[in-house]
């Protein structure tokens, strides 16, 4: 593990075991051209496993250069673009185009980036063509009911149809490949209403891969908790759900209890319910019904 400095903003670099891959993290300041070239070089050299540009400022041209290098990369798994790095439609278009070409990124983080509906549509377009993504963080992104509808569609099983863009069988297989999300973070999107949570529930009912769902600090209220409980009750894989600060109350907790008591596939091991004004008695009853971790 080591650190080096090429600018006032000092990147943190750590080696990854014996694999020669590194994690490159910048501390959220302005990135100059020399640093952009350094990042692009790591990407083109397939020597980087994690890239964090959280809160960093850069020119659009610099963002595009990093995207082009990422298209050729075959090593990066974690891409952290939290806190308004992808702040414009132009940058989201660049990112979406990159995701269509790249095949190695598994974790994409956009937390704290205000996304309008146009950006969400472009993001979905890129993600649909990138079956390697298993973790998506769009928490605190100012999502709306319409935005949630597009995010929820990412959870649907793919239709058994499609045509290769290049005429090859490989292209055909890629066009049919599902997005196998295992972790989805939608926390702190306060503009979403019951309509949006119902759309998410529909997506969950058509999904078989998700294992962790973060919905903390959203206005679910008892009605939203009820709708989602129904979807979770038929989901075969969800093991962790974070509902902290969602205004669920005892009425919503009763719906969750009913879900956990039903025979069937629920495999919940942990359910976060703090700051929901739920009675201790109901919390204890819910806790007693959760499965022990494997």
């Amino acid at each position: 593990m080591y650190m080096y400095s090429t600018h006032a903003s000092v990147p943190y670099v750590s080696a990854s075991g014996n694999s020669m891959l590194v994690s490159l993290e910048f501390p959220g300041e302005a990135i100059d051209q020399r640093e952009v070239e350094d990042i692009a070089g790591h990407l083109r050299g397939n020597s980087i496993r994690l890239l964090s540009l959280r809160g960093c400022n850069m020119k659009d041209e610099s963002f595009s250069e990093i995207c082009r290098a990422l298209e050729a990369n075959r090593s990066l798994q974690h891409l952290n673009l939290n806190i308004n790095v992808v702040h414009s439609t132009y940058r989201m278009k660049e990112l979406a185009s990159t995701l269509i070409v790249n095949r190695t990124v598994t974790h994409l983080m956009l937390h704290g980036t205000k996304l309008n509906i146009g950006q969400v549509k472009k993001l979905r377009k890129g993600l649909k063509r990138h079956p390697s993504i298993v973790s998506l963080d769009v928490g605190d992104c100012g999502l709306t009911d319409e935005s949630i509808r597009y995010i929820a569609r990412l959870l649907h099983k793919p239709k058994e149809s499609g045509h290769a863009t290049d005429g090859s069988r490989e292209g055909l297989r890629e066009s049919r490949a599902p997005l196998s999300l295992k972790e989805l973070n939608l926390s702190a999107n306060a503009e979403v209403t019951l309509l949006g949570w119902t759309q998410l529930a529909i997506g969950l009912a058509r999904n078989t891969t998700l294992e962790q769902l973060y919905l903390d600090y959203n206005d679910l209220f008892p009605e939203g908790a009820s709708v989602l409980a129904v979807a979770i009750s038929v989901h075969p894989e969800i093991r962790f759900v974070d509902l902290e600060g969602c205004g669920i109350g005892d009425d919503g907790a009763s719906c969750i209890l009913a879900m956990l008591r039903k025979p069937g596939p629920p495999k919940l091991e942990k359910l976060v319910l703090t700051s929901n004004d739920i009675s201790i008695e109901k919390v204890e009853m819910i806790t007693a019904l959760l499965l022990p971790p494997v």
Side-chain angles (χ1 to χ4, degrees), residues 48-73:
I48 181 170
R49 180 184 60 179
L50 180 151
L51 174 62
S52 176
L53 300 174
R54 182 181 185 274
C56 288
N57 296 315
M58 69 186 82
K59 296 178 181 179
D60 283 345
E61 294 83 355
S62 298
F63 185 80
S64 296
E65 183 175 344
I66 291 172
C67 285
R68 297 295 80 76
L70 182 55
E71 289 178 0
N73 178 267

mmCIF file with all atom_site columns, all heavy atoms in Angstrom, residues 48-73:
data_model
loop_
_atom_site.group_PDB
_atom_site.id
_atom_site.type_symbol
_atom_site.label_atom_id
_atom_site.label_alt_id
_atom_site.label_comp_id
_atom_site.label_asym_id
_atom_site.label_entity_id
_atom_site.label_seq_id
_atom_site.pdbx_PDB_ins_code
_atom_site.Cartn_x
_atom_site.Cartn_y
_atom_site.Cartn_z
_atom_site.occupancy
_atom_site.B_iso_or_equiv
_atom_site.pdbx_formal_charge
_atom_site.auth_seq_id
_atom_site.auth_comp_id
_atom_site.auth_asym_id
_atom_site.auth_atom_id
_atom_site.pdbx_PDB_model_num
ATOM 1   N N   . ILE A 1 48 ? -6.145  -1.622 -12.995 1.00 0.00 ? 48 ILE A N   1
ATOM 2   C CA  . ILE A 1 48 ? -6.938  -1.003 -11.940 1.00 0.00 ? 48 ILE A CA  1
ATOM 3   C C   . ILE A 1 48 ? -8.224  -1.788 -11.717 1.00 0.00 ? 48 ILE A C   1
ATOM 4   O O   . ILE A 1 48 ? -8.896  -2.196 -12.657 1.00 0.00 ? 48 ILE A O   1
ATOM 5   C CB  . ILE A 1 48 ? -7.230  0.479  -12.294 1.00 0.00 ? 48 ILE A CB  1
ATOM 6   C CG1 . ILE A 1 48 ? -8.037  1.144  -11.197 1.00 0.00 ? 48 ILE A CG1 1
ATOM 7   C CG2 . ILE A 1 48 ? -7.909  0.607  -13.638 1.00 0.00 ? 48 ILE A CG2 1
ATOM 8   C CD1 . ILE A 1 48 ? -8.148  2.642  -11.388 1.00 0.00 ? 48 ILE A CD1 1
ATOM 9   N N   . ARG A 1 49 ? -8.524  -2.019 -10.458 1.00 0.00 ? 49 ARG A N   1
ATOM 10  C CA  . ARG A 1 49 ? -9.726  -2.776 -10.082 1.00 0.00 ? 49 ARG A CA  1
ATOM 11  C C   . ARG A 1 49 ? -10.836 -1.860 -9.587  1.00 0.00 ? 49 ARG A C   1
ATOM 12  O O   . ARG A 1 49 ? -12.020 -2.108 -9.815  1.00 0.00 ? 49 ARG A O   1
ATOM 13  C CB  . ARG A 1 49 ? -9.382  -3.787 -8.976  1.00 0.00 ? 49 ARG A CB  1
ATOM 14  C CG  . ARG A 1 49 ? -10.559 -4.625 -8.496  1.00 0.00 ? 49 ARG A CG  1
ATOM 15  C CD  . ARG A 1 49 ? -10.160 -5.528 -7.339  1.00 0.00 ? 49 ARG A CD  1
ATOM 16  N NE  . ARG A 1 49 ? -9.668  -4.736 -6.203  1.00 0.00 ? 49 ARG A NE  1
ATOM 17  C CZ  . ARG A 1 49 ? -9.266  -5.258 -5.047  1.00 0.00 ? 49 ARG A CZ  1
ATOM 18  N NH1 . ARG A 1 49 ? -9.256  -6.558 -4.903  1.00 0.00 ? 49 ARG A NH1 1
ATOM 19  N NH2 . ARG A 1 49 ? -8.847  -4.484 -4.070  1.00 0.00 ? 49 ARG A NH2 1
ATOM 20  N N   . LEU A 1 50 ? -10.463 -0.792 -8.878  1.00 0.00 ? 50 LEU A N   1
ATOM 21  C CA  . LEU A 1 50 ? -11.441 0.154  -8.336  1.00 0.00 ? 50 LEU A CA  1
ATOM 22  C C   . LEU A 1 50 ? -11.021 1.566  -8.685  1.00 0.00 ? 50 LEU A C   1
ATOM 23  O O   . LEU A 1 50 ? -9.864  1.941  -8.489  1.00 0.00 ? 50 LEU A O   1
ATOM 24  C CB  . LEU A 1 50 ? -11.554 0.001  -6.809  1.00 0.00 ? 50 LEU A CB  1
ATOM 25  C CG  . LEU A 1 50 ? -12.531 0.922  -6.064  1.00 0.00 ? 50 LEU A CG  1
ATOM 26  C CD1 . LEU A 1 50 ? -13.066 0.238  -4.813  1.00 0.00 ? 50 LEU A CD1 1
ATOM 27  C CD2 . LEU A 1 50 ? -11.889 2.267  -5.670  1.00 0.00 ? 50 LEU A CD2 1
ATOM 28  N N   . LEU A 1 51 ? -11.976 2.359  -9.191  1.00 0.00 ? 51 LEU A N   1
ATOM 29  C CA  . LEU A 1 51 ? -11.742 3.763  -9.488  1.00 0.00 ? 51 LEU A CA  1
ATOM 30  C C   . LEU A 1 51 ? -12.809 4.589  -8.794  1.00 0.00 ? 51 LEU A C   1
ATOM 31  O O   . LEU A 1 51 ? -14.003 4.421  -9.045  1.00 0.00 ? 51 LEU A O   1
ATOM 32  C CB  . LEU A 1 51 ? -11.780 4.024  -10.995 1.00 0.00 ? 51 LEU A CB  1
ATOM 33  C CG  . LEU A 1 51 ? -11.682 5.497  -11.424 1.00 0.00 ? 51 LEU A CG  1
ATOM 34  C CD1 . LEU A 1 51 ? -10.357 6.098  -10.978 1.00 0.00 ? 51 LEU A CD1 1
ATOM 35  C CD2 . LEU A 1 51 ? -11.858 5.618  -12.943 1.00 0.00 ? 51 LEU A CD2 1
ATOM 36  N N   . SER A 1 52 ? -12.373 5.479  -7.902  1.00 0.00 ? 52 SER A N   1
ATOM 37  C CA  . SER A 1 52 ? -13.297 6.359  -7.197  1.00 0.00 ? 52 SER A CA  1
ATOM 38  C C   . SER A 1 52 ? -12.992 7.812  -7.560  1.00 0.00 ? 52 SER A C   1
ATOM 39  O O   . SER A 1 52 ? -11.915 8.322  -7.274  1.00 0.00 ? 52 SER A O   1
ATOM 40  C CB  . SER A 1 52 ? -13.188 6.170  -5.681  1.00 0.00 ? 52 SER A CB  1
ATOM 41  O OG  . SER A 1 52 ? -14.022 7.105  -5.007  1.00 0.00 ? 52 SER A OG  1
ATOM 42  N N   . LEU A 1 53 ? -13.972 8.453  -8.194  1.00 0.00 ? 53 LEU A N   1
ATOM 43  C CA  . LEU A 1 53 ? -13.876 9.874  -8.535  1.00 0.00 ? 53 LEU A CA  1
ATOM 44  C C   . LEU A 1 53 ? -14.934 10.656 -7.747  1.00 0.00 ? 53 LEU A C   1
ATOM 45  O O   . LEU A 1 53 ? -15.403 11.688 -8.189  1.00 0.00 ? 53 LEU A O   1
ATOM 46  C CB  . LEU A 1 53 ? -14.077 10.065 -10.042 1.00 0.00 ? 53 LEU A CB  1
ATOM 47  C CG  . LEU A 1 53 ? -13.076 9.353  -10.942 1.00 0.00 ? 53 LEU A CG  1
ATOM 48  C CD1 . LEU A 1 53 ? -13.469 9.494  -12.404 1.00 0.00 ? 53 LEU A CD1 1
ATOM 49  C CD2 . LEU A 1 53 ? -11.671 9.888  -10.709 1.00 0.00 ? 53 LEU A CD2 1
ATOM 50  N N   . ARG A 1 54 ? -15.272 10.162 -6.600  1.00 0.00 ? 54 ARG A N   1
ATOM 51  C CA  . ARG A 1 54 ? -16.364 10.705 -5.780  1.00 0.00 ? 54 ARG A CA  1
ATOM 52  C C   . ARG A 1 54 ? -16.218 12.212 -5.560  1.00 0.00 ? 54 ARG A C   1
ATOM 53  O O   . ARG A 1 54 ? -15.247 12.679 -4.986  1.00 0.00 ? 54 ARG A O   1
ATOM 54  C CB  . ARG A 1 54 ? -16.388 9.996  -4.427  1.00 0.00 ? 54 ARG A CB  1
ATOM 55  C CG  . ARG A 1 54 ? -17.507 10.414 -3.489  1.00 0.00 ? 54 ARG A CG  1
ATOM 56  C CD  . ARG A 1 54 ? -17.396 9.662  -2.180  1.00 0.00 ? 54 ARG A CD  1
ATOM 57  N NE  . ARG A 1 54 ? -18.511 9.952  -1.303  1.00 0.00 ? 54 ARG A NE  1
ATOM 58  C CZ  . ARG A 1 54 ? -18.555 10.988 -0.469  1.00 0.00 ? 54 ARG A CZ  1
ATOM 59  N NH1 . ARG A 1 54 ? -17.527 11.830 -0.417  1.00 0.00 ? 54 ARG A NH1 1
ATOM 60  N NH2 . ARG A 1 54 ? -19.611 11.182 0.300   1.00 0.00 ? 54 ARG A NH2 1
ATOM 61  N N   . GLY A 1 55 ? -17.184 12.982 -6.060  1.00 0.00 ? 55 GLY A N   1
ATOM 62  C CA  . GLY A 1 55 ? -17.196 14.417 -5.843  1.00 0.00 ? 55 GLY A CA  1
ATOM 63  C C   . GLY A 1 55 ? -16.130 15.188 -6.598  1.00 0.00 ? 55 GLY A C   1
ATOM 64  O O   . GLY A 1 55 ? -15.920 16.376 -6.333  1.00 0.00 ? 55 GLY A O   1
ATOM 65  N N   . CYS A 1 56 ? -15.465 14.570 -7.545  1.00 0.00 ? 56 CYS A N   1
ATOM 66  C CA  . CYS A 1 56 ? -14.379 15.244 -8.257  1.00 0.00 ? 56 CYS A CA  1
ATOM 67  C C   . CYS A 1 56 ? -14.919 16.199 -9.332  1.00 0.00 ? 56 CYS A C   1
ATOM 68  O O   . CYS A 1 56 ? -15.931 15.938 -9.965  1.00 0.00 ? 56 CYS A O   1
ATOM 69  C CB  . CYS A 1 56 ? -13.454 14.224 -8.917  1.00 0.00 ? 56 CYS A CB  1
ATOM 70  S SG  . CYS A 1 56 ? -12.431 13.304 -7.748  1.00 0.00 ? 56 CYS A SG  1
ATOM 71  N N   . ASN A 1 57 ? -14.189 17.289 -9.530  1.00 0.00 ? 57 ASN A N   1
ATOM 72  C CA  . ASN A 1 57 ? -14.498 18.240 -10.592 1.00 0.00 ? 57 ASN A CA  1
ATOM 73  C C   . ASN A 1 57 ? -13.528 18.041 -11.741 1.00 0.00 ? 57 ASN A C   1
ATOM 74  O O   . ASN A 1 57 ? -12.319 17.914 -11.531 1.00 0.00 ? 57 ASN A O   1
ATOM 75  C CB  . ASN A 1 57 ? -14.387 19.675 -10.077 1.00 0.00 ? 57 ASN A CB  1
ATOM 76  C CG  . ASN A 1 57 ? -15.400 19.973 -8.995  1.00 0.00 ? 57 ASN A CG  1
ATOM 77  O OD1 . ASN A 1 57 ? -16.568 19.618 -9.120  1.00 0.00 ? 57 ASN A OD1 1
ATOM 78  N ND2 . ASN A 1 57 ? -14.956 20.618 -7.918  1.00 0.00 ? 57 ASN A ND2 1
ATOM 79  N N   . MET A 1 58 ? -14.075 18.043 -12.952 1.00 0.00 ? 58 MET A N   1
ATOM 80  C CA  . MET A 1 58 ? -13.233 17.902 -14.145 1.00 0.00 ? 58 MET A CA  1
ATOM 81  C C   . MET A 1 58 ? -13.980 18.469 -15.336 1.00 0.00 ? 58 MET A C   1
ATOM 82  O O   . MET A 1 58 ? -15.200 18.648 -15.302 1.00 0.00 ? 58 MET A O   1
ATOM 83  C CB  . MET A 1 58 ? -12.868 16.433 -14.375 1.00 0.00 ? 58 MET A CB  1
ATOM 84  C CG  . MET A 1 58 ? -14.033 15.561 -14.805 1.00 0.00 ? 58 MET A CG  1
ATOM 85  S SD  . MET A 1 58 ? -13.612 13.811 -14.915 1.00 0.00 ? 58 MET A SD  1
ATOM 86  C CE  . MET A 1 58 ? -13.755 13.346 -13.186 1.00 0.00 ? 58 MET A CE  1
ATOM 87  N N   . LYS A 1 59 ? -13.256 18.718 -16.403 1.00 0.00 ? 59 LYS A N   1
ATOM 88  C CA  . LYS A 1 59 ? -13.877 19.197 -17.633 1.00 0.00 ? 59 LYS A CA  1
ATOM 89  C C   . LYS A 1 59 ? -14.633 18.050 -18.310 1.00 0.00 ? 59 LYS A C   1
ATOM 90  O O   . LYS A 1 59 ? -14.313 16.874 -18.117 1.00 0.00 ? 59 LYS A O   1
ATOM 91  C CB  . LYS A 1 59 ? -12.816 19.744 -18.586 1.00 0.00 ? 59 LYS A CB  1
ATOM 92  C CG  . LYS A 1 59 ? -12.067 20.965 -18.078 1.00 0.00 ? 59 LYS A CG  1
ATOM 93  C CD  . LYS A 1 59 ? -11.008 21.403 -19.073 1.00 0.00 ? 59 LYS A CD  1
ATOM 94  C CE  . LYS A 1 59 ? -10.234 22.614 -18.577 1.00 0.00 ? 59 LYS A CE  1
ATOM 95  N NZ  . LYS A 1 59 ? -9.172  23.033 -19.531 1.00 0.00 ? 59 LYS A NZ  1
ATOM 96  N N   . ASP A 1 60 ? -15.619 18.414 -19.131 1.00 0.00 ? 60 ASP A N   1
ATOM 97  C CA  . ASP A 1 60 ? -16.345 17.398 -19.875 1.00 0.00 ? 60 ASP A CA  1
ATOM 98  C C   . ASP A 1 60 ? -15.412 16.583 -20.759 1.00 0.00 ? 60 ASP A C   1
ATOM 99  O O   . ASP A 1 60 ? -15.563 15.365 -20.907 1.00 0.00 ? 60 ASP A O   1
ATOM 100 C CB  . ASP A 1 60 ? -17.433 18.046 -20.742 1.00 0.00 ? 60 ASP A CB  1
ATOM 101 C CG  . ASP A 1 60 ? -18.652 18.466 -19.935 1.00 0.00 ? 60 ASP A CG  1
ATOM 102 O OD1 . ASP A 1 60 ? -18.788 18.022 -18.781 1.00 0.00 ? 60 ASP A OD1 1
ATOM 103 O OD2 . ASP A 1 60 ? -19.468 19.242 -20.473 1.00 0.00 ? 60 ASP A OD2 1
ATOM 104 N N   . GLU A 1 61 ? -14.418 17.254 -21.329 1.00 0.00 ? 61 GLU A N   1
ATOM 105 C CA  . GLU A 1 61 ? -13.460 16.558 -22.198 1.00 0.00 ? 61 GLU A CA  1
ATOM 106 C C   . GLU A 1 61 ? -12.677 15.511 -21.404 1.00 0.00 ? 61 GLU A C   1
ATOM 107 O O   . GLU A 1 61 ? -12.372 14.426 -21.912 1.00 0.00 ? 61 GLU A O   1
ATOM 108 C CB  . GLU A 1 61 ? -12.485 17.548 -22.834 1.00 0.00 ? 61 GLU A CB  1
ATOM 109 C CG  . GLU A 1 61 ? -13.138 18.524 -23.810 1.00 0.00 ? 61 GLU A CG  1
ATOM 110 C CD  . GLU A 1 61 ? -13.774 19.729 -23.117 1.00 0.00 ? 61 GLU A CD  1
ATOM 111 O OE1 . GLU A 1 61 ? -13.797 19.761 -21.866 1.00 0.00 ? 61 GLU A OE1 1
ATOM 112 O OE2 . GLU A 1 61 ? -14.251 20.623 -23.828 1.00 0.00 ? 61 GLU A OE2 1
ATOM 113 N N   . SER A 1 62 ? -12.373 15.838 -20.156 1.00 0.00 ? 62 SER A N   1
ATOM 114 C CA  . SER A 1 62 ? -11.642 14.896 -19.305 1.00 0.00 ? 62 SER A CA  1
ATOM 115 C C   . SER A 1 62 ? -12.514 13.694 -18.965 1.00 0.00 ? 62 SER A C   1
ATOM 116 O O   . SER A 1 62 ? -12.054 12.545 -18.982 1.00 0.00 ? 62 SER A O   1
ATOM 117 C CB  . SER A 1 62 ? -11.192 15.595 -18.020 1.00 0.00 ? 62 SER A CB  1
ATOM 118 O OG  . SER A 1 62 ? -10.307 16.653 -18.314 1.00 0.00 ? 62 SER A OG  1
ATOM 119 N N   . PHE A 1 63 ? -13.778 13.957 -18.677 1.00 0.00 ? 63 PHE A N   1
ATOM 120 C CA  . PHE A 1 63 ? -14.704 12.859 -18.386 1.00 0.00 ? 63 PHE A CA  1
ATOM 121 C C   . PHE A 1 63 ? -14.824 11.943 -19.599 1.00 0.00 ? 63 PHE A C   1
ATOM 122 O O   . PHE A 1 63 ? -14.821 10.715 -19.465 1.00 0.00 ? 63 PHE A O   1
ATOM 123 C CB  . PHE A 1 63 ? -16.074 13.413 -17.993 1.00 0.00 ? 63 PHE A CB  1
ATOM 124 C CG  . PHE A 1 63 ? -17.060 12.366 -17.572 1.00 0.00 ? 63 PHE A CG  1
ATOM 125 C CD1 . PHE A 1 63 ? -17.028 11.835 -16.292 1.00 0.00 ? 63 PHE A CD1 1
ATOM 126 C CD2 . PHE A 1 63 ? -18.028 11.897 -18.463 1.00 0.00 ? 63 PHE A CD2 1
ATOM 127 C CE1 . PHE A 1 63 ? -17.928 10.851 -15.906 1.00 0.00 ? 63 PHE A CE1 1
ATOM 128 C CE2 . PHE A 1 63 ? -18.927 10.926 -18.092 1.00 0.00 ? 63 PHE A CE2 1
ATOM 129 C CZ  . PHE A 1 63 ? -18.887 10.405 -16.803 1.00 0.00 ? 63 PHE A CZ  1
ATOM 130 N N   . SER A 1 64 ? -14.919 12.530 -20.773 1.00 0.00 ? 64 SER A N   1
ATOM 131 C CA  . SER A 1 64 ? -15.014 11.739 -22.005 1.00 0.00 ? 64 SER A CA  1
ATOM 132 C C   . SER A 1 64 ? -13.765 10.897 -22.222 1.00 0.00 ? 64 SER A C   1
ATOM 133 O O   . SER A 1 64 ? -13.848 9.740  -22.659 1.00 0.00 ? 64 SER A O   1
ATOM 134 C CB  . SER A 1 64 ? -15.239 12.658 -23.207 1.00 0.00 ? 64 SER A CB  1
ATOM 135 O OG  . SER A 1 64 ? -16.475 13.329 -23.111 1.00 0.00 ? 64 SER A OG  1
ATOM 136 N N   . GLU A 1 65 ? -12.595 11.464 -21.937 1.00 0.00 ? 65 GLU A N   1
ATOM 137 C CA  . GLU A 1 65 ? -11.346 10.722 -22.113 1.00 0.00 ? 65 GLU A CA  1
ATOM 138 C C   . GLU A 1 65 ? -11.301 9.509  -21.196 1.00 0.00 ? 65 GLU A C   1
ATOM 139 O O   . GLU A 1 65 ? -10.870 8.417  -21.598 1.00 0.00 ? 65 GLU A O   1
ATOM 140 C CB  . GLU A 1 65 ? -10.155 11.636 -21.828 1.00 0.00 ? 65 GLU A CB  1
ATOM 141 C CG  . GLU A 1 65 ? -8.812  10.965 -22.063 1.00 0.00 ? 65 GLU A CG  1
ATOM 142 C CD  . GLU A 1 65 ? -7.636  11.918 -21.905 1.00 0.00 ? 65 GLU A CD  1
ATOM 143 O OE1 . GLU A 1 65 ? -7.861  13.154 -21.913 1.00 0.00 ? 65 GLU A OE1 1
ATOM 144 O OE2 . GLU A 1 65 ? -6.490  11.427 -21.777 1.00 0.00 ? 65 GLU A OE2 1
ATOM 145 N N   . ILE A 1 66 ? -11.774 9.682  -19.964 1.00 0.00 ? 66 ILE A N   1
ATOM 146 C CA  . ILE A 1 66 ? -11.815 8.561  -19.016 1.00 0.00 ? 66 ILE A CA  1
ATOM 147 C C   . ILE A 1 66 ? -12.803 7.495  -19.512 1.00 0.00 ? 66 ILE A C   1
ATOM 148 O O   . ILE A 1 66 ? -12.528 6.291  -19.434 1.00 0.00 ? 66 ILE A O   1
ATOM 149 C CB  . ILE A 1 66 ? -12.189 9.059  -17.615 1.00 0.00 ? 66 ILE A CB  1
ATOM 150 C CG1 . ILE A 1 66 ? -11.044 9.906  -17.037 1.00 0.00 ? 66 ILE A CG1 1
ATOM 151 C CG2 . ILE A 1 66 ? -12.495 7.886  -16.677 1.00 0.00 ? 66 ILE A CG2 1
ATOM 152 C CD1 . ILE A 1 66 ? -11.386 10.605 -15.743 1.00 0.00 ? 66 ILE A CD1 1
ATOM 153 N N   . CYS A 1 67 ? -13.939 7.937  -20.041 1.00 0.00 ? 67 CYS A N   1
ATOM 154 C CA  . CYS A 1 67 ? -14.931 6.996  -20.573 1.00 0.00 ? 67 CYS A CA  1
ATOM 155 C C   . CYS A 1 67 ? -14.374 6.182  -21.729 1.00 0.00 ? 67 CYS A C   1
ATOM 156 O O   . CYS A 1 67 ? -14.583 4.971  -21.809 1.00 0.00 ? 67 CYS A O   1
ATOM 157 C CB  . CYS A 1 67 ? -16.189 7.747  -21.006 1.00 0.00 ? 67 CYS A CB  1
ATOM 158 S SG  . CYS A 1 67 ? -17.239 8.298  -19.641 1.00 0.00 ? 67 CYS A SG  1
ATOM 159 N N   . ARG A 1 68 ? -13.662 6.836  -22.634 1.00 0.00 ? 68 ARG A N   1
ATOM 160 C CA  . ARG A 1 68 ? -13.091 6.116  -23.773 1.00 0.00 ? 68 ARG A CA  1
ATOM 161 C C   . ARG A 1 68 ? -12.081 5.068  -23.300 1.00 0.00 ? 68 ARG A C   1
ATOM 162 O O   . ARG A 1 68 ? -12.014 3.962  -23.845 1.00 0.00 ? 68 ARG A O   1
ATOM 163 C CB  . ARG A 1 68 ? -12.406 7.102  -24.736 1.00 0.00 ? 68 ARG A CB  1
ATOM 164 C CG  . ARG A 1 68 ? -13.293 8.127  -25.392 1.00 0.00 ? 68 ARG A CG  1
ATOM 165 C CD  . ARG A 1 68 ? -14.321 7.540  -26.338 1.00 0.00 ? 68 ARG A CD  1
ATOM 166 N NE  . ARG A 1 68 ? -15.487 6.999  -25.641 1.00 0.00 ? 68 ARG A NE  1
ATOM 167 C CZ  . ARG A 1 68 ? -16.457 7.771  -25.124 1.00 0.00 ? 68 ARG A CZ  1
ATOM 168 N NH1 . ARG A 1 68 ? -16.387 9.085  -25.198 1.00 0.00 ? 68 ARG A NH1 1
ATOM 169 N NH2 . ARG A 1 68 ? -17.493 7.210  -24.532 1.00 0.00 ? 68 ARG A NH2 1
ATOM 170 N N   . ALA A 1 69 ? -11.285 5.420  -22.301 1.00 0.00 ? 69 ALA A N   1
ATOM 171 C CA  . ALA A 1 69 ? -10.318 4.457  -21.769 1.00 0.00 ? 69 ALA A CA  1
ATOM 172 C C   . ALA A 1 69 ? -11.038 3.302  -21.077 1.00 0.00 ? 69 ALA A C   1
ATOM 173 O O   . ALA A 1 69 ? -10.601 2.150  -21.156 1.00 0.00 ? 69 ALA A O   1
ATOM 174 C CB  . ALA A 1 69 ? -9.368  5.158  -20.797 1.00 0.00 ? 69 ALA A CB  1
ATOM 175 N N   . LEU A 1 70 ? -12.152 3.607  -20.431 1.00 0.00 ? 70 LEU A N   1
ATOM 176 C CA  . LEU A 1 70 ? -12.918 2.572  -19.734 1.00 0.00 ? 70 LEU A CA  1
ATOM 177 C C   . LEU A 1 70 ? -13.532 1.578  -20.720 1.00 0.00 ? 70 LEU A C   1
ATOM 178 O O   . LEU A 1 70 ? -13.687 0.394  -20.411 1.00 0.00 ? 70 LEU A O   1
ATOM 179 C CB  . LEU A 1 70 ? -14.008 3.223  -18.889 1.00 0.00 ? 70 LEU A CB  1
ATOM 180 C CG  . LEU A 1 70 ? -14.893 2.302  -18.038 1.00 0.00 ? 70 LEU A CG  1
ATOM 181 C CD1 . LEU A 1 70 ? -14.044 1.422  -17.129 1.00 0.00 ? 70 LEU A CD1 1
ATOM 182 C CD2 . LEU A 1 70 ? -15.877 3.130  -17.218 1.00 0.00 ? 70 LEU A CD2 1
ATOM 183 N N   . GLU A 1 71 ? -13.862 2.050  -21.915 1.00 0.00 ? 71 GLU A N   1
ATOM 184 C CA  . GLU A 1 71 ? -14.419 1.150  -22.922 1.00 0.00 ? 71 GLU A CA  1
ATOM 185 C C   . GLU A 1 71 ? -13.445 0.032  -23.275 1.00 0.00 ? 71 GLU A C   1
ATOM 186 O O   . GLU A 1 71 ? -13.857 -1.105 -23.533 1.00 0.00 ? 71 GLU A O   1
ATOM 187 C CB  . GLU A 1 71 ? -14.774 1.939  -24.187 1.00 0.00 ? 71 GLU A CB  1
ATOM 188 C CG  . GLU A 1 71 ? -15.983 2.846  -24.017 1.00 0.00 ? 71 GLU A CG  1
ATOM 189 C CD  . GLU A 1 71 ? -16.278 3.639  -25.272 1.00 0.00 ? 71 GLU A CD  1
ATOM 190 O OE1 . GLU A 1 71 ? -15.534 3.467  -26.268 1.00 0.00 ? 71 GLU A OE1 1
ATOM 191 O OE2 . GLU A 1 71 ? -17.237 4.429  -25.267 1.00 0.00 ? 71 GLU A OE2 1
ATOM 192 N N   . ALA A 1 72 ? -12.164 0.344  -23.267 1.00 0.00 ? 72 ALA A N   1
ATOM 193 C CA  . ALA A 1 72 ? -11.148 -0.649 -23.631 1.00 0.00 ? 72 ALA A CA  1
ATOM 194 C C   . ALA A 1 72 ? -10.683 -1.470 -22.434 1.00 0.00 ? 72 ALA A C   1
ATOM 195 O O   . ALA A 1 72 ? -9.965  -2.454 -22.596 1.00 0.00 ? 72 ALA A O   1
ATOM 196 C CB  . ALA A 1 72 ? -9.947  0.044  -24.271 1.00 0.00 ? 72 ALA A CB  1
ATOM 197 N N   . ASN A 1 73 ? -11.091 -1.073 -21.239 1.00 0.00 ? 73 ASN A N   1
ATOM 198 C CA  . ASN A 1 73 ? -10.594 -1.713 -20.026 1.00 0.00 ? 73 ASN A CA  1
ATOM 199 C C   . ASN A 1 73 ? -11.196 -3.098 -19.821 1.00 0.00 ? 73 ASN A C   1
ATOM 200 O O   . ASN A 1 73 ? -12.360 -3.331 -20.123 1.00 0.00 ? 73 ASN A O   1
ATOM 201 C CB  . ASN A 1 73 ? -10.903 -0.824 -18.815 1.00 0.00 ? 73 ASN A CB  1
ATOM 202 C CG  . ASN A 1 73 ? -10.462 -1.441 -17.511 1.00 0.00 ? 73 ASN A CG  1
ATOM 203 O OD1 . ASN A 1 73 ? -11.232 -2.115 -16.848 1.00 0.00 ? 73 ASN A OD1 1
ATOM 204 N ND2 . ASN A 1 73 ? -9.209  -1.217 -17.144 1.00 0.00 ? 73 ASN A ND2 1
#
